[in-house]
Amino acid sequence: MPDVAVRVADPGLARQVYDLVASAHLDAGDLGPSTGLLVTDDVPEQAGTSLVPTVMVVAGEADAGVWRRAALAGVEQVVALPEGASLLSQRLQSRQQVVSGTLVRIIGARGGCGATTLAVGVAAALAGQSSTTLVDADPAGSG
């Protein structure tokens, strides 16, 4: 699953973005449900309504029209390359520190109802699909 989705039409700009993604040790690919960041050179249709943070890259300086369109679309950041390469690099590096996933809580109504057994079963089933951690936070101790 990609860490970063890159949608950049300009070949020179795309090469700069892919080089920065590679130097951050991240994977680039298609936009999907687990994508952590979208880097694009055009105002994306899904920005503002998507849960994916979006960075817009431009070659040279960004004029007022670019900033206006980006703001209206909900783009989080506009980066002018190559001058802003360090800014985009920092943003990509911060993606490594973000851990995302789904939190599943299983709460027993009373002791001995099988909540720990159910939690172990759910964690075992999920472990076959993705990285999984089981935490038993029962104040009375695990069953």
Side-chain angles (χ1 to χ4, degrees):
M1 306 219 184
D3 302 302
V4 179
V6 179
R7 291 189 176 169
V8 179
D10 179 294
L13 204 53
R15 176 58 22 223
Q16 291 178 63
V17 171
Y18 280 113
D19 287 348
L20 290 169
V21 169
S23 70
H25 305 290
L26 297 173
D27 294 322
D30 294 329
L31 186 61
S34 65
T35 303
L37 183 67
L38 170 63
V39 180
T40 182
D41 63 349
D42 194 13
V43 175
E45 293 175 16
Q46 69 274 14
T49 59
S50 173
L51 297 177
V52 178
T54 303
V55 174
M56 184 174 172
V57 292
V58 296
E61 292 186 27
D63 62 24
V66 169
W67 286 99
R68 188 177 308 107
R69 287 193 339 266
L72 290 172
V75 171
E76 291 186 358
Q77 194 169 26
V78 176
V79 177
L81 294 177
E83 295 82 12
S86 63
L87 184 62
L88 182 56
S89 181
Q90 289 172 357
R91 181 66 187 265
L92 291 169
Q93 292 290 338
S94 72
R95 296 304 317 155
Q96 293 178 331
Q97 301 166 2
V98 176
V99 177
S100 64
T102 302
L103 175 65
V104 177
R105 295 182 201 138
I106 298 173
I107 302 170
R110 61 178 183 83
C113 69
T116 297
T117 303
L118 177 61
V120 168
V122 169
L126 292 174
Q129 300 171 18
S130 63
S131 178
T132 304
T133 302
L134 172 62
V135 176
D136 191 335
D138 186 342
S142 60

